[in-house]
Structure formats: structure tokens, C-alpha cells
Amino acid sequence: MLTMVTGEVANFVAYVYAPAVLVTPLGALSIIVSAVLAHFVLKERLQKMGVLGCVSCIVGSVVIVIHAPQEYTPNSVEEIWSLAIQPAFLIYVAAALSIVLALIFHFEPRCGQTNILIYLGICSLMGSLTVVSIKAIGIAIKLTLEGINQFEYPQTWSFVTVAVICVITQLNYLNKALDTFNAAIVSPIYYVMFTTLTIIASIIMFKDWSGQDASNIASEICGFITVLSGTIILHATREQEQPTTAGTITWYTGESMKGIDEAHFITVHNSDYFQ
């Protein structure tokens, strides 16, 4: 729990100093670390395709880092608020909330238990708004620590309110998705949808690609696709792993089959039972 909290705090700080188009895809590196640790600590076999998935994530991350845009840090929360109320981003917010409401009130009661995209669509759309809000809060904290108090502005508390509502909604429906569907399927789909929508929201609001040429943007897109492909491959290989068959035990006394409490002898039909 301590390491998880530390990682989330570091992730929060990263959004202050780097654009979301760089930070969000690099979250795939945690999947690589988990897979490698599981191989050595938990003795979970990392298959060849899993290794390929890890390499793809690393290559894609390196490409993204090399071609990432320069971070533009606003000088006040009011400046961030002006970015949030620009027409393009307001259209994105209106579209996202409309889709979320339609998914919650129309589609979830009808096909929420059978279609994984219902729950993950809600999580991903709300997650994209969470990230831009948290980035604004992080910048406000940074400026406040530098001596320019940003918590006296109502815009700061507006971002805090939006972040809290979005996080609660996001976690609620993510838990529903994990309760309803296999985690091996939920994780890669959620990562792809959340990362894609977060990058789109950040590009619209903070104009991360402003000033970049077409070659750098194309390289970032290719790196992002490579990371997504590696993530899907890594999760797919985990899903294909077959669980070890449990040993069968026959209780026998020479005359007939007996219950566990009655029997005195056992025959083990799987040598792995004692390992």
C-alpha cells in the first residue's frame, strides 16, 4: 500500500511538470515491472509473447519520450480556467458528459452486464476529465508553494470539485466492471480507452501539440500505438495461461470408497500435489 501511494503521488507530480500526452502512455511501464516481478518473485512464467509485449512497451515509450512536446506551465489558475472554458474543450466536456449520462441511464440497465464497453466507457470518459482537473490542481499547488496563493480563487475549488466527482464515479464503475468481467480483459481495454481519451482531452485543453511539426506528432502516435500493442499482447499472454490442474485424491480402504473422516489410506494421482 505504501509503495502504491508513493507511485500515485509521483504520478500526480508528473502531470505538473510534463504534458499528459507524455505521462499517460508511460503508465504502461508499471505493467512491465509487474510482469517482471511476477516472473521472479511469484514464479509466474513470462512467455515469449509476453517478452515481446514488454519490449514493445519499452520501445514505444522511448519513442514518445524522444518526440514529446515541451511542457507549457500556466502562471495562474485563472489562466488554466481560460483554457478550460475555450469552445473546443467545452464541446468535448459536453459530449463526454452526454455520452456518460446515456451510458448510465439508458445502456447500463439494458446491457451493462453483457457489454464491457458500457462500464469502461464511463470510466474512461470521466477519467479523462479527472486527469485535466488533477493537472490543474497540481499546478495550483506548485504555484502556491512558490509563494503565489492559488487557493483564494474559486476556480481552484471548482477543479477540486470536478476531480472528486470524477474520481468517485470512475472508481465506482471500474469496480463494477471488475466484478462483472474478467480482469484480464478489463485491464487492457480500460488502459487503451482511458489513455486515448486522456490524450485527446489534454491536447484540446492544453494544446500539447501546438508548435510541433507533423513528423514529431506522427512519431508520438506511432509510439503510442506501439505501447498499446505491447500492453494488449502482455495481457493476452497472461489470459492464455492455463491454471495448474489440481491433484485428485481417492480415499480407499480395500473394500469401498470412504469419506475423508472414515478412510485410513489415500492414493495421490498427481505427483505435483506435494510441490
Side-chain angles (χ1 to χ4, degrees):
M1 286 294 293
L2 289 176
T3 56
M4 185 186 71
V5 170
T6 303
E8 291 303 320
V9 171
N11 193 49
F12 176 83
V13 174
Y15 279 113
V16 178
Y17 294 97
V21 69
L22 171 62
V23 176
T24 308
L26 293 182
L29 295 178
S30 64
I31 302 174
I32 299 175
V33 175
S34 298
V36 173
L37 287 177
H39 178 76
F40 289 104
V41 179
L42 302 179
K43 306 304 178 184
E44 294 182 2
R45 183 166 170 251
L46 187 61
Q47 300 179 0
K48 292 181 179 179
M49 291 301 293
V51 175
L52 176 61
C54 291
V55 172
S56 298
C57 289
I58 294 173
V59 171
S61 299
V62 170
V63 172
I64 292 174
V65 170
I66 292 175
H67 298 277
Q70 294 294 323
E71 168 69 352
Y72 164 71
T73 303
N75 296 318
S76 67
V77 171
E78 292 179 319
E79 187 176 348
I80 303 175
W81 184 259
S82 65
L83 296 174
I85 61 175
Q86 60 184 326
F89 188 70
L90 289 178
I91 292 173
Y92 174 83
V93 172
L97 294 179
S98 299
I99 295 173
V100 167
L101 292 175
L103 291 174
I104 292 175
F105 294 107
H106 180 75
F107 291 100
E108 183 191 356
R110 292 168 173 78
C111 51
Q113 298 296 315
T114 57
N115 192 331
I116 193 174
L117 296 180
I118 304 299
Y119 290 140
L120 296 187
I122 298 172
C123 295
S124 302
L125 288 166
M126 298 303 286
S128 66
L129 299 179
T130 300
V131 169
V132 294
S133 300
I134 286 179
K135 184 176 178 68
I137 296 169
I139 293 174
I141 294 174
K142 174 176 175 288
L143 292 173
T144 300
L145 293 176
E146 291 176 352
I148 308 173
N149 186 12
Q150 299 297 308
F151 287 91
E152 61 185 13
Y153 299 106
Q155 292 90 336
T156 302
W157 297 106
S158 297
F159 285 123
V160 172
T161 303
V162 170
V164 170
I165 294 173
C166 290
V167 166
I168 293 174
T169 305
Q170 184 180 355
L171 292 178
N172 178 41
Y173 284 95
L174 181 58
N175 285 330
K176 287 186 177 182
L178 291 172
D179 288 340
T180 308
F181 304 97
N182 190 335
I185 300 175
V186 171
S187 297
I189 296 177
Y190 175 61
Y191 177 79
V192 170
M193 294 178 65
F194 169 73
T195 306
T196 302
L197 291 172
T198 298
I199 290 176
I200 291 174
S202 180
I203 289 172
I204 295 174
M205 179 173 173
F206 293 101
K207 297 180 172 54
D208 291 331
W209 282 350
S210 178
Q212 281 199 301
D213 54 32
S215 62
N216 281 326
I217 294 175
S219 298
E220 289 175 42
I221 294 174
C222 291
F224 176 53
I225 293 174
T226 304
V227 171
L228 295 184
S229 302
T231 304
I232 294 172
I233 291 172
L234 191 55
H235 280 285
T237 55
R238 284 187 174 184
E239 185 182 2
Q240 290 171 0
E241 291 180 356
Q242 297 296 327
T244 303
T245 303
T248 59
I249 302 176
T250 302
W251 296 84
Y252 185 66
T253 61
E255 299 176 355
S256 60
M257 303 294 292
K258 299 292 185 180
I260 294 178
D261 296 331
E262 302 172 322
H264 303 288
F265 305 99
I266 63 172
T267 302
V268 180
H269 297 291
N270 189 339
S271 61
D272 295 334
Y273 179 77
F274 292 102
Q275 294 181 358

